[in-house]
Amino acid sequence: MKFYLEKLINGQSLNYEEMRVVTEYCITQATDTQIASLLTALKAKGETADEIAGIVDVIRAKSTFKTSPLQDAIDNCGTGGDQSFSFNISTTSAFVIAGAGVTVAKHGNRSVTSKSGSADVLETLGISLSLSNEQVEELLHENKIAFLFAPNVHPSLKIFTKVRRELGLRTVFNVIGPLVNPVDLDTQFLGVYDKALLTMLAETLKKLGRRRAMVIHGAGGLDEATLAGENHIVFLNEGKINSFTLRPEDVGLPYYAIEEIRGGDALQNAEILLQVLNGKIGAHYYTVLLNAGLALFTSGKAESIREGVKLAEESIQSGAALKRLEGLVKYCKKLSGVY
């Protein structure tokens, strides 16, 4: 560990294999002090795609969740950390994406920087966070969407929790949450709180084997696409990476200020989610159309972002998106003996 720490302190990056070795050491025998030193040294130097990919691959390899191959599965999780206190945009969008026919392996956790994380709002809606591997896999195949609660599928992450809490700093773990989804994803839609991380995270997703991926930093500084102005996007497509910007009018959507998509606690955000899936028009609705539309384009379901937005609206208006939520809730109620 000392050798690798000295490299980082001297401004030298670790390669993929070195990062795998260090991560394995942290999980199996490192002290809290050593882990804190590693996270701080990485942050001070600035993480690379190789370093992040190395960490992610070790954590994924140690996951308790294993599944048979899925055709064209996607996740649409953001990093969090934007301090916007918006409603659960990606969670709501996930049901819209699934309603359009794309399998969504939704990986997430409880709130860290907001009032309601994906796990919080889904639990409020009656969705269990403790499904078995077999139950999650059944839902992915039969319902097109399931939720993978990070603490349940990644016990190795507990090693870092105490250190991260005591450091109180943003570290590499503030960006790897969406990357450690244990499902072998074909595509991914990833929001990030820092525009400077866009290209590096796209390169990381390439190293992790994504065929197509989109990394977005939303107008107003959000880790979601927003209708407040210019969204910055980096797109990975079959090994090629390019960047562009997108404004709501580019895809026929109206402008809404960031203040209009503020959420609340889990109960309030669950109500917003239900309103959107029931077709209530407004800032929340159109924001979900944009994010789901971008994800549907990323998945290859839509040939353009504008077409993706159209498919997202059809998913809501046809009732298909709501049906995916209802299927998930019904499944969990049946397991608990509540009908």
Side-chain angles (χ1 to χ4, degrees):
M1 176 66 90
K2 180 181 177 182
F3 170 76
Y4 298 121
L5 287 174
E6 286 181 343
K7 281 191 70 172
L8 293 171
I9 291 168
N10 290 327
Q12 300 174 30
S13 297
L14 305 185
N15 62 37
Y16 169 81
E17 289 299 335
E18 288 175 326
M19 199 67 241
R20 283 181 57 86
V21 170
V22 170
T23 306
E24 183 74 33
Y25 181 85
C26 285
I27 292 171
T28 57
Q29 56 186 301
T31 65
D32 287 352
T33 300
Q34 288 174 317
I35 294 173
S37 298
L38 174 68
L39 298 183
T40 305
L42 280 168
K43 177 179 175 61
K45 178 190 67 66
E47 299 88 350
T48 66
D50 269 340
E51 288 167 342
I52 294 178
I55 296 172
V56 168
D57 278 345
V58 171
I59 292 171
R60 290 188 71 247
K62 292 184 177 298
S63 173
T64 58
F65 181 84
K66 307 295 178 186
T67 183
S68 56
L70 292 166
Q71 187 68 30
D72 299 331
I74 192 171
D75 191 5
N76 67 323
C77 184
T79 60
D82 60 19
Q83 299 294 321
S84 68
F85 303 104
S86 60
F87 76 103
N88 293 97
I89 297 170
S90 64
T91 306
T92 310
S93 300
F95 292 105
V96 179
I97 299 163
V102 176
T103 301
V104 182
K106 189 78 178 80
H107 181 253
N109 209 333
R110 294 195 183 277
S111 171
V112 177
T113 58
S114 64
K115 294 181 181 179
S116 172
S118 54
D120 301 304
V121 73
L122 291 174
E123 191 173 47
T124 299
L125 290 164
I127 296 167
S128 173
L129 304 182
S130 56
L131 298 176
S132 69
N133 289 4
E134 293 76 19
Q135 290 162 346
V136 169
E137 184 166 7
E138 182 180 358
L139 282 166
L140 288 172
H141 285 284
E142 301 298 328
N143 195 54
K144 287 287 187 181
I145 184 170
F147 183 68
L148 293 90
F149 185 41
N152 287 353
V153 298
H154 292 300
S156 65
L157 287 177
K158 293 179 183 178
I159 303 295
F160 302 95
T161 302
K162 178 174 177 285
V163 174
R164 292 181 62 203
R165 187 184 302 117
E166 290 181 352
L167 278 176
L169 301 171
R170 277 181 176 169
T171 69
V172 64
F173 281 88
N174 288 87
V175 298
I176 69 168
L179 304 179
V180 296
N181 191 320
V183 174
D184 290 326
L185 300 173
D186 185 53
T187 56
Q188 187 155 2
F189 180 66
L190 170 63
V192 63
Y193 60 83
D194 185 350
K195 186 171 69 172
L197 299 175
L198 285 169
T199 300
M200 189 269 286
L201 286 176
E203 291 171 348
T204 303
L205 288 165
K206 179 179 177 180
K207 290 178 182 295
L208 294 173
R210 305 294 188 268
R211 179 177 59 84
R212 286 164 65 101
M214 184 175 287
V215 189
I216 185 162
H217 177 70
L222 271 69
D223 69 329
E224 312 275 3
T226 78
L227 300 166
E230 192 171 72
N231 297 280
H232 295 267
I233 297 171
V234 175
F235 182 50
L236 165 67
N237 182 23
E238 305 290 355
K240 296 181 179 179
I241 295 175
N242 62 78
S243 60
F244 61 97
T245 58
L246 182 79
R247 301 180 67 85
E249 58 264 34
D250 297 334
V251 289
L253 292 174
Y255 173 93
Y256 281 99
I258 295 298
E259 292 72 25
E260 296 180 80
I261 58 169
R262 289 251 167 87
D265 60 19
L267 189 62
Q268 292 170 304
N269 284 4
E271 181 60 32
I272 292 171
L273 184 152
L274 289 170
Q275 289 173 352
V276 170
L277 297 191
N278 278 288
K280 183 180 179 180
I281 304 298
H284 302 116
Y285 176 86
Y286 287 116
T287 299
V288 167
L289 289 190
L290 177 58
N291 282 273
L294 285 162
L296 289 169
F297 168 70
T298 302
S299 74
K301 182 73 173 181
E303 293 186 4
S304 68
I305 298 171
R306 185 178 283 266
E307 182 187 349
V309 171
K310 181 181 178 183
L311 291 177
E313 185 151 38
E314 290 173 359
S315 175
I316 294 175
Q317 295 300 329
S318 68
L322 183 61
K323 185 177 179 181
R324 296 303 182 197
L325 170 61
E326 291 172 341
L328 194 50
V329 172
K330 183 179 179 181
Y331 185 92
C332 293
K333 285 184 176 180
K334 184 177 179 180
L335 289 176
S336 63
V338 178
Y339 296 92

